[in-house]
Structure formats: C-alpha cells, structure tokens
C-alpha cells in the first residue's frame, strides 16, 4: 500500500432529482464522455457504495448480514479521471471516508483486458471494483454466507447505479471477467475476490444530444 491518503469531501444528502426519478432513469451505460469526475462526485458514489450512514453504530448505506461487512471497494482511475487525483488504484477506507493509494499508474486497459476487452472499463474516467472477503461472512453463516455476500454486492451495485443517475452520471455492472486476472491487475491479496467492476462517468450520449 502507498502512503498518500486522500480525504474526500463529506457526502451530501440532497439531490436535484427524487429517488423515484433516479429509479426510473437508471440505465446501464457503456459509452462514456472523456470528462473527469470531481472529488465530491466520487465521494458521493463511494458513500452510496459502502459509506457510513450511522456514525454511532458505524452502520453503512448498504445492508449486510450480521452485519459482517465482507465488501472492500477499490477505485481504478486514469490520469485525468478524477479531479486532482493521480491515475492509479485506490482502496476506499470506509471509516475515514478516504482513499489510500495502492498502486500508481493507469491500469484501466489491463483491467479491461481481464474483462473480455470490455471497452467501457478503459473509456470511463474511473472504475469501482467491488471485492469480497468471504471469510468474514462464511465464518458466521457457513455455506449460506456465500449467498448473503452475493446479495450484498447487488445492494451496493444498485446504490452505485442510483447515485450515479442522481449525479447525472452513469454506470454498468460488469460481472464477466477472469477473477484471477482482475486480482493480478489490482495487485490484490488472495482473500479478495472481485465480484463487480462498475465503470462510472458521464454518459457520452448526453453530450451529443
Ligand atoms: C449480475 C449482473 C452481471 C452483469 N454483467 C454484465 C457484463 O458483464 N457486461 C455488461 O455489459 N453488462 C452486464 N450487466 C448489465 C446488464 O446487461 C443490464 O443490466 C441489462 O442489459 C439490462 O439493462 P439496464 O441495466 O439498462 O436495465 C450485468 C448485470 C447484472 C445484474
């Protein structure tokens, strides 16, 4: 892990659109504009993915069986992907709502290659990679814990979809990739299993309208 820690701006709980509009407008988008994301937009997306919503009990925006919190979130970005953040791989520190650099350099092309060449992964300014540490939940719930983890990643993914939509951004949930290759590209320990890659950016089609 690198040393540089980036504290993100506090997330907002106000939006220009209603929850119902976000649900109605949510769509998978695979074509992104070459436009960077602000740190406050990233803050909002990460908070929706796994941030703390109850600081007293440290409960999160996404439900979790137990709660055993098996999910770990990584951000992969290009050089100009996120305002004032260098290209690289970052780990989301949930308690401090900050990022720690895990690797310097743009790995989006390699990540796309690990996902059957999915272009949106290197076209989007950033990719959120949701991983799980199975032990945390399986130790408590045995084999049924696996089912719970897969349910939980769906909750997190849907929150990314809805938060992105509310910000005028978009995403697509990508499940088709080689676990082993993604783990290699992200320099992840064996205990981290990647479950979703979600490119996030401004939809290209809105700009061309
Ligand atoms: C579990 C899961 C895995 C998915 N994997 C991929 C994928 O690997 N590549 C992709 O382009 N879309 C993927 N999708 C997105 C679906 O293709 C998309 O949700 C579907 O076409 C319906 O479109 P909508 O999301 O705009 O309603 C996945 C969706 C889910 C729920």
């Amino acid at each position: 892990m690198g040393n540089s820690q980036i504290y993100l701006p506090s997330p907002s709980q106000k939006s220009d659109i209603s929850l119902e509009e976000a649900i109605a407008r949510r769509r998978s988008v695979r074509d992104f504009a070459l436009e960077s994301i602000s740190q406050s937009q990233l803050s909002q997306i990460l908070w929706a993915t796994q941030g703390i919503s109850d600081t007293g009990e440290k409960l999160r925006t996404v439900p979790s069986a137990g709660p055993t919190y098996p999910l770990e979130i990584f951000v992969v970005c290009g050089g100009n992907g996120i305002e004032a953040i260098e290209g690289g791989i970052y780990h989301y520190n949930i308690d401090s709502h900050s990022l720690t650099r895990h690797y310097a350099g743009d790995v989006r092309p390699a990540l796309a290659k690990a996902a059957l060449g999915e272009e949106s992964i290197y076209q989007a300014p950033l990719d959120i990679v949701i991983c799980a540490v199975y032990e945390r939940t399986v130790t408590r719930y045995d084999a049924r814990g696996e089912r719970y983890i897969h349910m939980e990643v769906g909750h997190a993914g849907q929150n990314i979809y809805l938060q992105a939509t509310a910000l005028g951004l978009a995403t697509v949930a990508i499940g088709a990739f080689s676990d082993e290759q993604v783990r290699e590209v992200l320099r992840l320990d064996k205990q981290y299993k990647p479950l979703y890659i979600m490119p996030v950016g401004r939809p290209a089609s809105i700009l061309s309208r």
Side-chain angles (χ1 to χ4, degrees):
M1 291 266 176
N3 306 321
S4 51
Q5 194 154 359
I6 300 160
Y7 290 91
L8 295 166
S10 296
S12 158
Q13 289 176 29
K14 297 267 182 276
S15 177
D16 292 340
I17 74 170
S18 69
L19 173 64
E20 291 79 2
E21 284 172 293
I23 292 171
R25 286 189 210 167
R26 181 211 64 83
R27 203 84 282 147
S28 293
V29 167
R30 298 172 184 79
D31 198 10
F32 297 98
L34 290 172
E35 208 181 289
S36 58
I37 297 295
S38 69
Q39 285 198 19
S40 61
Q41 287 173 320
L42 177 66
S43 159
Q44 211 64 48
I45 296 274
L46 290 173
W47 174 76
T49 311
Q50 205 57 202
I52 307 272
S53 52
D54 177 334
T55 45
E57 297 209 40
K58 297 230 164 139
L59 296 172
R60 303 185 187 173
T61 51
V62 167
S64 174
T68 48
Y69 294 130
L71 305 184
E72 293 289 338
I73 312 301
F74 292 85
V75 177
V76 171
C77 64
N80 299 315
I82 307 162
E83 168 199 16
I85 293 184
E86 286 172 38
I89 305 169
Y90 295 83
H91 177 248
Y92 176 46
N93 306 306
I94 292 159
D95 283 353
S96 53
H97 194 56
S98 68
L99 296 173
T100 304
R101 195 163 73 195
H102 172 59
Y103 179 80
D106 184 2
V107 302
R108 288 174 307 159
L111 188 60
K113 211 168 154 196
L116 316 174
E118 176 57 50
E119 285 182 25
S120 54
I121 292 176
Y122 65 77
Q123 201 194 35
L126 68 98
D127 300 295
I128 306 283
V129 183
I130 307 180
C131 298
V133 178
Y134 277 63
E135 274 175 20
R136 291 181 194 160
T137 308
V138 169
T139 308
R140 173 98 61 102
Y141 296 107
D142 299 319
R144 202 165 184 82
E146 279 194 27
R147 173 196 296 218
Y148 293 162
I149 290 167
H150 299 157
M151 291 167 169
E152 187 167 332
V153 77
H155 294 300
Q158 183 72 0
N159 267 14
I160 297 179
Y161 265 111
L162 296 179
Q163 180 66 82
T165 305
L167 294 169
L169 304 174
T171 189
V172 55
I174 292 175
F177 51 78
S178 153
D179 294 358
E180 208 44 58
Q181 284 176 37
V182 168
R183 206 156 35 203
E184 272 171 32
V185 170
L186 297 191
R187 280 92 176 154
L188 295 179
D189 217 74
K190 271 230 156 3
Q191 59 172 342
Y192 292 87
K193 184 162 185 185
L195 292 173
Y196 257 159
I197 301 175
M198 301 193 58
V200 175
R202 194 164 297 281
S205 50
I206 285 184
L207 285 185
S208 57
R209 251 181 231 156

